Amino acid sequence: QVWGVQRCDGRLRAANARLETCRRASESTRLPCSNLLLCVQWSNGAATSPATWQGASLPTLLAPLLGRQEIPMIRLSVSRLASIGARAVTRIASAPPSSARAGIVIGIGLISHGMREPSLAAPAETPATGGRLDEVIASLDADEVARLIASSPGRRREDEEDDDERVELQVAEAEIRVGARASTELLGWGRILELGQPGTLTADKVLFEFSSKWHGGKRRRGGATVPKQRWIPAAALTSVAKSSPRLVSPAAGTASGDPPPTPPRSGPLFSEGAGPSGSHRATRPSAGEASSSDGMPKLAAMERGRAMKQNRPVKIGKPKRGIKPMTKAGGALPARGAGRVTCTKESNVPIAKRLAEFPDSGLIEAPPGKLFCAACKTPLKNILGTLKTHCGSESHKEKLVRYVEVTKDDTFIKQFMREYFTEHPDEKCASLSDEQHLHRFRIVASMLKAGVAINKVDELRPVLERDGHAITAASHLAGYIPKIETLEHDKLGGELEGQYVEVIYDGSPRHGEAIVVILRWVQASEDGWSVQMRLVAFRTLVEHPTGAQLAQFIFAVLLTTLKLKPWQIIASARDSASVNGACERALVGLLPALQDILCISHTVAKCGEHVELPTLEQFMTSWLQIVQHHQAAKTTWKGMIGKAMVGFSTIRWCSRDECANELARNFGQLGAFLQALIDKEIGDALPKKMIQIYNSKRAVLEAELACSLDLERLIRLVYRMEGDGLLVLLARSEIEAALAWGETVGDDQSSLPNVAAVLRKNTTLKVGVKTYEYYGEPYNSHYVGKVKRIDRGGKVLVTYPGFGADNDVLLEPHEAVQAVDVRELAEWQRLSAAAKAGIEYLRKRLTGECDRIYDCSQMYEMLRLVQVFDPSFAAQFATPAWVDALSSIPPLEPLVEKLKEELPEYLVKCQGVSYDHGDVAAFTDAVLLFWANNGSKFPTWARAMQIVGTFTPSSAAAERVFSMLKLMFGHLQASSLADMIQAALMLRYNKRRVA
C-alpha cells in the first residue's frame, strides 16, 4: 500500500541486473538527500525500465493524485531501497500478458539523511515517457491505482526466502505527542505518556510505556503481561503512528511487540470518510467503502463499522501448593489475587446471621439462600473475608451513600403517593399498591430527565414490565408529572430553608416568552461548603411581559411557591435588557437590601458590536449561511483543513466571532476552499459572492480577520465569567487586565500582533519606509529608523537619524520586513481605532458614562470591594477602611461593625495563604475549604462570605437552561404542556437521582 510500502512476492535471485541498475541510479543522484523514485509503468503486461526523477519528494508528487495534503515520509537505506525497487520490477515483469491493466506501481519512495523534507525543484524529464513527472502523475487515474493496490496480496507466502521488509515512518518532532503509539528497536511498540519538560534532566526524553512478560521476578515464557514505564531519549523512537490505534492484548492473538494494525484499504488515501484519524476505529470496511474505488459515491463517516469493546486480557496463574488446579475448556481459570487461583468454598453460616453481622451495609437475601449487595447491584459469596473486603472498599461506601439516599426518597415518595390518593380516591390508579406507584413514578421521572417523550413508553412497555411490575398506557402515566413537579418544589423548600439566595432570571422568545428563574446560594454543612444552583421555575407566557408583570411573576414563585422569607433574597443577576431593568426597579422597591448585578459576560460580548469591520461583516453574512445550511460545505472544509468547521449558534455568545477567528487561522486555504465550493456547485450564489470579496479586497479582509483574532482575549473573558464558581472574587482583576490592554491598543505594535504581522507582510519595502526595532545591550531601547538603500541582493540598509552613518545597519530581507513600523500606516490606524471603540464601550459601561439602564458602575465597585473575602487578597489589602466601604453593599451593611471587630483574627488566618487564580474550579474549592475550616473562628465574616458567595457576575446559568430546552424538546414536542417541560428541566438541571 502507498500508506507504507506494498510488499511484492517476487524473489531477489532473478533481479541481479535490475538491482545493479537501481544502485547506479541512486549513486547518480546529485541531491544532498539522495532522492530516488522508482516507478514502473505497466501496460498490457510489458514492463519498462526503472525511471529516475530528481528534485521532488514523494509526498509532494503524490498529493495531487491521492487528494491528501500530507503523505507519510519513508526512511530507508540505499541498499534496502534498491532491493525493494528490484522486487517491484521482478513482480511486474513476471506478470502474465493476459492481465492487461493500465495504471502505475510505485515501487518505493524517499531516502532522507538528515533532512526532513527535500526542497522542491523543477522535475526533470523522465527517460521512460519523455514527459515531466508532474504531468505523468496528474494523468494517472486514482481508481485504477486503488484497484491495483487492493488486488495485491497483503501477506507473503510461507515458502518465501527473502526477509520480511518493514518500512517505518520518519519520526518528526511534531508527531511525538502524548498518547501516540510508537516503537523502539529494543522495547518494541508502546505508548508515549509524557514529554520531557524544558530546563530539566528529561528535556529530550519521553516517558515510554511498553508491555513485558514477567513471572516470579524472572522472564519466562507464558508469564503474565505487565505494563512498564521508562524514560528514553526521543531519538530512540524509530516510528510514531499517525493515529493511536487500540492496543491489542496478547490474549487476542497479537504479540505485545507487534506494530499497530494496518489501516483499512478504504482509509484516508482514497476516501474523505472515516479513517485512522476518526474517533472510532472501524472493525471492517463496509460494502460501500470497499466499492468506493469502482465509482460508487463516498459514504458519510457514520457509515463506518462500529468498534466493539474487548475484554481485558486474563491472567493465568499457578495454583497454590496442595490445591488441585481448577480447569475449564481451553485451560486454567483466570487467576485472582497475586496471580494464583483459589477454590475457597462458601461457608454454612446462615444468611440471617451474615445480615446481622453486617447491618446497614446494603446486604439483602436475594434470591433465597444467596447474598446480594443492593448498593453495588452484585451477588456475593457467603465467605466472611470476601464480605469484609467488599463492605470495606471505598467503592462500596460511595454507592452505599447513594443507596441510602435513594431508599429515603423511595420511602418519601410512597408516603406522598399514599396521602395523595387517600385525598383523591376517585382518581385513576388510586387502588394500586405503594410499590406499583413507586415503580411508575420512577419510570416517568427517568423519561422526563432523559428528554424522552412520554408517549414512547407504549413501545418500551414490554421491556419495562419484565421485572414483574405492570405499567399502564402513556396517557395514564402522564398523571404522575404534576406529582413529580410538586415533590420537586417540596424538596427545594427543604434545601432553601434558612439560606441567603440570589435570583437569576432571563427570558427568551418561545411561543411568546419563556421565563427562567434560578436560585444560587452557598451551602455550609458538616461535609463542607459548596455552591448550589437550582432551577425553580420555567414558564411560557403568551406575550412579552412588562417589567411590573415580570416582577410579580418572580415574587409569586419565590414567596408563594417556595415560601421564602424576604430577608433571604439578597441579590439578583440579569442582563441589561430594558424589561429586566424595569423588573429590577420593582424588586428593589419591595426588597431594599437587594444587590443588583448586571451580567458582565453579556456586557463584554456587546463590545464586538461596536468594532466596525465592514469588509469582514459583508463576508461573514454569506459565510454564516454556508455554515448553518450546507453540510457539503462542512465536509469539504474538513477534508481540506483536517478538522471540523466551527458551528454557528444564534444563542451562544461570540459565536460569530469564533467563526471569523477560524477563518483568520486558515486564511491561506480560504481561496482554494471557495473555489472548491464553486466547482462542486455548493451554496448557489454565496460562494461566488464571497470569492468576489476575497479577490477584490483580499488584503483588507485579511487585516480585518487579524484584528478579530487579536480581540479574542475578550471572547476568553466572556466565557471565563460564565461559570458557577466564585467568579465574583476574580471578575474585577480580569476586567482591569482587559482595560489595561485596551489602553495600549494603537500605541504599541504588540497590542495587535496579528494585525502588525499582516500589515508588515503586505508592505512593500522601498526607500523611506520607517522601521521600529528594539536593540539590547548597551542600548536597551526601541529606535525609529528609515530604509536608506536596498541592494540588488535584497539586503536593506537602515539608517537611524541623529546617530550618523556609522550606526547604519544592514538587514536581511526577512529581518527588514519584521522591523517595519506599521503604526503610521493608514490601515493600522483604522483597525486600532475599531478595536479601541469596543474597549471604550466597555469602559463607559463600567464607569457609568452611559444610559441608566446600562450603568454597571455600582456593580463594578462591588466587585472591587468583595475581593477582601479572598484570603490571599485580604492578607495584603484588607484594612478597617476597606471594611467600612463594604457598607455600600446593601446585604452587608448591618454586618460592617462586627466585621471590623473580627478583622484581626481573620488577617491572622490569611497570612501565608496563596491561591492559583488561573484555575477557577481549583480556586473556588480552595476558598470554600478555607472558610469551612476557619469560619467558626470569625462567624460574622463567615456569614458575610455566605452572602458574597451567592453573588455571580453573570446570568449565563439562565442561558444554559434555554440550551437544555432546545436539546430536550425539539419541534416535535413544541406543544408539550408546561408541567412536563418544567418538571423535565428541573430534574435535569438540578441533577436529581430518578432511578
Side-chain angles (χ1 to χ4, degrees), residues 75-404:
R75 181 179 62 191
L76 294 172
S77 62
V78 176
S79 59
R80 178 171 292 188
L81 174 70
S83 172
I84 297 179
R87 293 165 61 191
V89 173
T90 303
R91 173 173 173 77
I92 296 169
S94 61
S98 59
S99 59
R101 287 181 284 185
I104 189 167
V105 171
I106 301 175
I108 203 61
L110 179 68
I111 313 173
S112 180
H113 297 297
M115 293 186 64
R116 291 265 180 85
E117 172 97 22
S119 57
L120 181 61
E125 296 292 320
T126 63
T129 62
R132 294 171 60 87
L133 176 60
D134 54 353
E135 296 174 354
V136 175
I137 294 294
S139 65
L140 298 177
D141 187 355
D143 292 339
E144 293 294 337
V145 176
R147 236 183 266 118
L148 183 61
I149 291 177
S151 63
S152 300
R155 185 177 299 175
R156 67 190 178 106
R157 296 189 301 270
E158 296 180 357
D159 58 348
E160 279 189 349
E161 300 175 359
D162 53 326
D163 296 332
D164 183 11
E165 301 286 350
R166 177 174 297 169
V167 180
E168 299 171 342
L169 302 181
Q170 177 176 341
V171 178
E173 292 182 3
E175 297 174 351
I176 301 178
R177 62 194 185 280
V178 175
R181 285 271 292 159
S183 68
T184 67
E185 294 183 358
L186 180 63
L187 304 178
W189 282 88
R191 188 177 302 277
I192 299 174
L193 298 183
E194 293 184 27
L195 303 180
Q197 298 296 326
T200 65
L201 296 177
T202 60
D204 298 328
K205 294 186 177 182
V206 297
L207 183 59
F208 189 69
E209 183 183 50
F210 59 97
S211 298
S212 179
K213 290 186 177 181
W214 288 87
H215 185 78
K218 298 181 180 179
R219 187 181 294 273
R220 299 176 181 176
R221 296 186 63 182
T225 301
V226 180
K228 291 191 174 183
Q229 300 177 5
R230 182 177 299 173
W231 283 97
I232 63 173
L237 298 175
T238 57
S239 64
V240 176
K242 282 289 182 181
S243 60
S244 300
R246 173 177 54 81
L247 288 173
V248 180
S249 65
T254 303
S256 60
D258 286 347
T262 304
R265 286 198 295 264
S266 57
L269 287 178
F270 305 105
S271 173
E272 296 180 7
S277 60
S279 58
H280 294 279
R281 181 182 60 83
T283 56
R284 53 180 174 78
S286 63
E289 292 175 327
S291 60
S292 61
S293 59
D294 297 328
M296 293 292 290
K298 298 176 182 177
L299 300 179
M302 65 182 66
E303 294 292 336
R304 63 187 180 275
R306 185 176 299 278
M308 307 305 294
K309 299 294 184 181
Q310 304 295 323
N311 292 327
R312 293 181 179 180
V314 295
K315 297 180 180 180
I316 306 301
K318 183 178 180 180
K320 291 182 179 180
R321 181 178 301 177
I323 298 179
K324 185 178 180 180
M326 302 170 62
T327 59
K328 63 176 183 179
L333 289 174
R336 185 169 64 88
R340 300 179 182 275
V341 177
T342 61
C343 55
T344 306
K345 297 181 180 180
E346 292 193 45
S347 66
N348 296 324
V349 177
I351 299 297
K353 184 178 179 180
R354 289 298 189 203
L355 296 178
E357 293 175 353
F358 296 91
D360 302 327
S361 300
L363 301 184
I364 60 175
E365 184 178 5
K370 297 292 183 180
L371 282 173
F372 185 83
C373 180
C376 303
K377 306 297 186 295
T378 180
L380 297 174
K381 290 186 177 181
N382 188 3
I383 302 174
L384 182 60
T386 300
L387 296 177
K388 287 182 178 180
T389 302
H390 178 82
C391 294
S393 64
E394 293 297 327
S395 175
H396 172 77
K397 293 177 181 178
E398 294 177 2
K399 294 178 180 178
L400 182 62
V401 172
R402 294 196 295 267
Y403 173 72
V404 171

Side-chain angles (χ1 to χ4, degrees), residues 36 108 123 161 179 200 240 263 275 348 496 579 749 764 767 775 843 858 885 899 940 949:
L36 178 62
I108 203 61
E161 300 175 359
T200 65
V240 176
N348 296 324
L496 295 169
V579 65
Q749 297 181 96
T764 303
V767 176
Y775 286 92
R843 188 191 64 78
Q858 182 184 3
L899 292 176
T940 308

Side-chain angles (χ1 to χ4, degrees), residues 651-920:
I651 62 175
R652 190 174 74 246
W653 291 327
C654 305
S655 178
R656 186 186 187 95
D657 298 323
E658 289 176 336
C659 295
N661 292 343
E662 182 186 37
L663 290 179
R665 294 186 178 93
N666 301 281
F667 188 79
Q669 295 176 281
L670 181 58
F673 172 71
L674 296 177
Q675 188 59 49
L677 295 183
I678 295 176
D679 296 340
K680 295 181 180 181
E681 299 181 353
I682 299 174
D684 300 328
L686 292 177
K688 297 180 180 178
K689 184 178 179 180
M690 287 189 290
I691 204 169
Q692 181 181 3
I693 300 173
Y694 176 83
N695 292 331
S696 60
K697 302 179 181 180
R698 173 170 179 167
V700 177
L701 178 62
E702 186 179 11
E704 291 187 357
L705 282 169
C707 183
S708 176
L709 190 59
D710 285 330
L711 292 174
E712 191 177 26
R713 64 181 304 153
L714 296 180
I715 299 177
R716 293 196 295 267
L717 177 59
V718 170
Y719 292 144
R720 182 173 170 81
M721 291 293 104
E722 66 174 13
D724 293 336
L726 294 179
L727 291 169
V728 69
L729 305 181
L730 302 173
R732 177 75 182 209
S733 60
E734 296 284 344
I735 298 171
E736 286 179 343
L739 293 177
W741 165 75
E743 294 294 331
T744 66
V745 170
D747 300 330
D748 188 356
Q749 297 181 96
S750 62
S751 60
L752 299 175
N754 291 296
V755 173
V758 169
L759 294 182
R760 291 193 190 103
K761 184 191 69 172
N762 296 332
T763 299
T764 303
L765 282 176
K766 58 184 179 180
V767 176
V769 172
K770 289 186 176 182
T771 62
Y772 185 74
E773 197 168 7
Y774 180 82
Y775 286 92
E777 294 290 345
Y779 308 102
N780 297 325
S781 179
H782 284 88
Y783 289 91
V784 177
K786 184 183 297 184
V787 176
K788 183 177 182 179
R789 185 182 73 247
I790 301 178
D791 297 340
R792 290 185 177 181
K795 294 188 176 181
V796 180
L797 182 66
V798 177
T799 183
Y800 295 92
F803 288 91
D806 294 339
N807 291 305
D808 292 350
V809 179
L810 190 64
L811 301 178
E812 296 291 337
H814 67 278
E815 294 177 332
V817 170
Q818 294 300 320
V820 171
D821 187 1
V822 301
R823 294 176 300 170
E824 296 187 4
L825 299 179
E827 190 68 0
W828 169 267
Q829 295 176 2
R830 180 181 73 88
L831 294 176
S832 60
K836 276 187 173 181
I839 300 297
E840 185 65 15
Y841 167 80
L842 176 61
R843 188 191 64 78
K844 289 183 177 180
R845 289 285 302 271
L846 296 175
T847 57
E849 301 175 27
C850 57
D851 294 339
R852 178 186 174 186
I853 60 175
Y854 304 121
D855 186 1
C856 300
S857 57
Q858 182 184 3
M859 179 202 68
Y860 193 50
E861 176 64 12
M862 180 271 294
L863 294 177
R864 182 186 73 87
L865 295 175
V866 298
Q867 294 178 98
V868 75
F869 291 92
D870 173 8
S872 61
F873 182 92
Q876 304 179 46
F877 302 102
T879 62
W882 193 296
V883 177
D884 282 333
L886 291 175
S887 60
S888 62
I889 303 175
L892 297 181
E893 183 179 4
L895 306 177
V896 170
E897 294 302 325
K898 286 286 187 180
L899 292 176
K900 291 171 65 176
E901 294 177 5
E902 298 177 359
L903 179 60
E905 291 84 356
Y906 174 49
L907 293 179
V908 169
K909 289 296 181 181
C910 292
Q911 295 302 318
V913 175
S914 178
Y915 300 130
D916 178 15
H917 290 188
D919 188 340
V920 177

Side-chain angles (χ1 to χ4, degrees), residues 460-496:
L460 301 173
R461 188 171 178 177
V463 175
L464 298 175
E465 291 181 338
R466 287 179 65 90
D467 61 354
H469 291 289
I471 62 174
T472 184
S475 58
H476 297 310
L477 288 178
Y480 287 88
I481 295 176
K483 302 172 181 60
I484 294 173
E485 188 179 22
T486 301
L487 280 178
E488 180 64 20
H489 282 138
D490 292 344
K491 184 176 294 187
L492 287 172
E495 292 176 338
L496 295 169

